[in-house]
């Protein structure tokens, strides 16, 4: 997950300014995506404390010390032998730093409710605990040029995977095999893993919102959705294409054309300074004009970065994901546009791309042909 | 995820008895693994309420209605158009069923803390909210014969993946390619996806507790850990092997032999009626005898089923995972034994198998050779 070209000190500086703004003394981190963002090392089963005074203490399994030293920007790396030691050791870190009664921001949309209660009761019993999302998402949402390079690399890998899926797609092959060919091609192109399970949803299964590949055999006439989210250098691309296995029904072909047109209007609305929900508006207007009112799902976009779905999350969905509402498109955002799709009784179509909002306008990073 | 051969009504009956025991009126479910267990349909983005009176109401995205009807055992299936409607609709369900002020058990070790607070405040403001884990884990921990069939199928797929990894392993090949070959072989053998990311950790990377495959090239002399967790018919296997690429250092080869011996002693201790932590004791005694005291990580085992890590979770780890402590090995448990491994400065070894605790004794379901 690490990439030593990132300027972590600059990230700590920006975090410190937001901590100052919000009266927060330290960020208490356990989510791998956030550990990666702030330290360069996003392994599971690690904890970090990033203070406003820019100390960064990380605790990791003892066996990982050597590899963490290679990749982490933390100022202080500590080892633990087991989970209990990890948690108790962190109480001591807070005490050492004089933060026992401080205001600590915690990843409330990452910790499960049971673990959150254990943490607050046993590690932070005297602290004032606030959510970390307003600080972390504001930072992670705007990508720096080094992050854009990683996202471009992930997008190229997704394109390679989609090309492999397209080559393998034919009647008689299983969804699982298509997924396997796409994954192998992405591995060979440099994928480190998958930010989301690979979806290959054919025929009636394409009508579902979530369609992980199954042993179902692809048949002539099937609509096939392929959704890929490879991780490269710790960053994800998010991409979906819909393939039509001939002879396909006319309504599926027209739905696909209408969705591609709507998605392109959505992409065109992703301009720095524009209203963020204008992307939704542009897609909805196009789909409604083409007769698909009430036949598509939302949200039609979301942020993409270390996670394949991250801030900005539009509208009311933000609350459910524990995120802040964001009003404007900003240069440096990277968005997955085309999320969800048109869903009918017997089929569904979805086309999604990873789009970089550059100063000059929206730049599609995933580029495999849509029709 | 569905499998119509399961007897869901029997599961509801058993759940009702435990709800009676604990004074719970209904289970409020959102975790896909639990939705799969109780309804046969474990898609993400769905909600269910299973009452003590054995009503089972499920809410799913509108586009999924057709496919949910194919696979869900729920008595009442409702549709929603967006996330907000999903949550608000559920408040109405509680009112219809007269459960507004009831005792509702909720998956506190699944919901994140932010979402949990939204749920409790907006859907369950007058309910008495208790954790669902004591009921659900007690049920899921003991597998019925149909579940054992699925776990056997998943284990066969893991074996096929490990054989493919072994065939592909040689100096000059990347970890990513090994992972890709193993995944493609598992897809062809019937894998629906991965319960955990595929680990291929070679050379110095084998010394880490968590080693997802990277583009690192495998070299002569490398120790290589390969960890696979395919999903088949909604169930997972959990399997790790350590390969030695010759010429390998003598200490790595002896550590591997010692770990295999310890793991086999751990497996032998997995006998119905025995003390659960006896598995840990058997492995620890063997490793300490061979000079590895303080050089291995815990927990050395955990349950395997719909999830690749589930109840029983041993000792203090149970608390951190929001699970109950379990005292005894019971027939019908399926355990991943050999979790974690021996970790040294420059390498690590780990060998893990999925073991069914039958009435007749422990039965290894994953069987690829260990040495």
């Amino acid at each position: 997950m690490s990439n030593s070209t990132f300027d972590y000190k600059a990230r700590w500086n920006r975090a410190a300014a937001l901590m100052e703004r919000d009266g927060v003394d330290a960020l208490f981190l356990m989510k791998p995506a956030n550990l990666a963002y702030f330290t360069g090392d996003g392994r599971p089963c690690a904890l970090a404390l990033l203070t406003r005074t820019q100390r960064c203490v990380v605790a990791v399994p003892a066996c990982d010390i050597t590899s963490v030293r290679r990749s982490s920007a933390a100022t202080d790396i500590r080892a633990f032998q087991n989970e209990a030691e990890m948690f108790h050791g962190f109480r001591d870190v807070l005490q050492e730093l004089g933060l026992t009664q401080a205001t600590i921001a915690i990843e409330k949309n990452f910790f499960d409710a049971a673990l959150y209660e254990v943490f607050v009761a046993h590690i932070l019993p005297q602290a004032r605990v606030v959510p970390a999302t307003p600080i972390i998402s504001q930072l992670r949402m705007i990508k720096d040029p080094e992050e854009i390079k990683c996202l471009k690399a992930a997008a190229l890998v997704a394109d390679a995977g989609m090309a492999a899926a397209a080559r393998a797609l034919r009647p008689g092959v299983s969804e699982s095999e298509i997924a396997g060919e796409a994954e192998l091609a992405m591995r060979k192109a440099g994928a480190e893993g998958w930010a989301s399970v690979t979806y290959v949803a054919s025929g009636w299964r394409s009508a579902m919102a979530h369609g992980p590949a199954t042993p179902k055999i692809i048949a002539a006439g099937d609509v096939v959705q392929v959704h890929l989210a490879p991780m490269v250098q710790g960053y994800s691309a998010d991409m979906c294409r819909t393939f039509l296995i001939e002879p396909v029904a006319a309504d599926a072909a027209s739905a696909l054309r209408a969705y591609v047109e709507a998605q392109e209007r959505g992409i065109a609305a992703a301009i720095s300074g524009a209203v963020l929900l204008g992307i939704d508006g542009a897609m909805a207007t196009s789909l409604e004009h083409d007769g698909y009112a009430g036949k598509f799902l939302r949200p039609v976009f979301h942020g993409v970065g270390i996670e394949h779905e991250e801030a900005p999350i539009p509208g009311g969905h933000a609350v459910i994901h524990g995120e802040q509402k964001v009003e404007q498109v900003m240069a440096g955002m990277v968005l997955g546009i085309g999320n969800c799709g048109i869903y009918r009784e017997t089929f569904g179509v979805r086309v999604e791309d990873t789009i970089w909002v550059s100063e000059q306008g929206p730049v599609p990073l995933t580029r495999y042909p849509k029709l």
Side-chain angles (χ1 to χ4, degrees), chain A:
Chain A
M1 298 282 279
S2 80
N3 190 318
S4 56
T5 63
F6 294 129
D7 185 349
Y8 297 104
K9 292 276 159 59
R11 292 179 181 176
W12 299 357
N13 255 317
R14 290 197 293 270
L18 297 181
M19 286 192 240
E20 187 74 41
R21 176 196 72 185
D22 293 352
V24 166
D25 296 301
L27 299 176
F28 183 42
L29 308 170
M30 199 172 181
K31 184 173 179 171
N34 292 334
L35 291 169
Y37 185 78
F38 286 114
T39 75
D41 190 275
R43 69 191 64 211
C45 202
L47 286 182
L49 193 78
L50 176 64
T51 72
R52 189 159 63 181
T53 56
Q54 302 192 42
R55 288 191 63 170
C56 181
V57 185
V58 167
V60 297
C63 58
D64 286 16
I65 277 282
T66 308
S67 68
V68 174
R69 286 201 182 116
R70 283 176 186 241
S71 55
S72 177
T75 53
D76 186 350
I77 299 169
R78 304 188 183 198
F80 56 83
Q81 293 291 342
N82 56 51
E83 288 170 337
E85 204 178 297
M86 167 172 90
F87 294 128
H88 297 154
F90 237 71
R91 193 169 46 193
D92 302 339
V93 168
L94 286 167
Q95 194 159 16
E96 271 175 55
L97 299 177
L99 293 173
T100 303
Q101 300 183 23
T103 298
I104 308 290
I106 186 167
E107 298 152 318
K108 280 188 78 168
N109 63 347
F110 172 69
F111 289 100
D112 69 54
L115 189 57
Y116 178 77
E117 287 178 6
V118 171
F119 264 47
V120 170
H122 297 284
I123 306 183
L124 304 164
Q126 299 178 66
R128 183 174 153 252
V129 176
V130 299
T133 312
I135 292 173
I136 296 176
S137 292
Q138 186 171 337
L139 296 174
R140 281 185 44 198
M141 193 161 70
I142 307 300
K143 274 71 181 176
D144 62 39
E146 291 302 324
E147 291 181 286
I148 298 297
K149 279 187 203 162
C150 297
L151 285 153
K152 282 181 177 171
L156 280 175
V157 167
D159 280 339
M162 198 59 76
R167 278 194 302 275
L169 261 176
R170 58 181 181 277
V173 176
S174 72
E175 293 174 352
S176 293
E177 278 184 76
I178 303 301
E181 295 292 350
E183 286 170 349
L184 181 59
M186 291 191 285
R187 290 284 192 188
K188 287 184 173 169
E192 294 149 9
W194 325 116
S196 164
V197 64
T198 301
Y199 286 8
V200 180
S202 64
W204 66 269
R205 294 192 73 252
S206 69
M208 304 190 303
H210 301 276
T214 70
K216 177 186 173 298
I217 302 296
I218 290 163
D222 273 1
V223 171
V224 187
Q225 283 181 35
V226 178
H227 183 265
L228 307 176
M231 298 291 301
V232 178
Q233 295 169 258
Y235 283 74
S236 169
D238 197 17
M239 181 187 205
C240 187
R241 288 293 180 269
T242 298
F243 297 94
L244 307 176
I245 311 292
E246 296 299 339
V248 80
D251 56 348
S254 6
L256 179 57
R257 281 193 303 272
Y259 198 76
V260 168
E261 169 150 2
Q263 188 232 16
E264 288 181 352
R265 287 172 188 269
I267 294 170
I271 290 177
S272 182
V275 173
L276 185 66
L277 275 174
I279 300 169
D280 176 280
M283 283 192 67
T285 303
S286 178
L287 289 167
E288 284 160 10
H289 173 268
D290 286 340
Y292 296 98
K295 291 167 184 157
F296 61 97
L297 284 183
R298 291 185 157 98
V300 298
F301 72 95
H302 53 70
V304 180
I306 299 176
E307 294 165 282
H308 82 295
E309 287 185 16
E310 61 178 43
I313 304 283
H317 305 280
V319 179
I320 289 158
H321 291 268
E323 294 286 349
Q324 303 292 105
K325 283 199 188 183
V326 177
E327 303 295 339
Q328 278 200 334
V329 180
M330 286 180 266
M333 282 182 173
V334 174
L335 303 172
I337 299 183
N339 192 51
C340 286
I342 294 173
Y343 292 92
R344 308 304 306 272
E345 189 70 19
T346 53
F347 68 86
V349 300
R350 176 174 174 173
V351 173
E352 182 174 11
D353 283 293
T354 301
I355 308 295
W356 166 37
V357 181
S358 79
E359 297 282 1
Q360 284 71 45
V363 179
L365 302 183
T366 46
R367 298 183 182 177
Y368 190 83
K370 301 179 194 184
L371 286 172

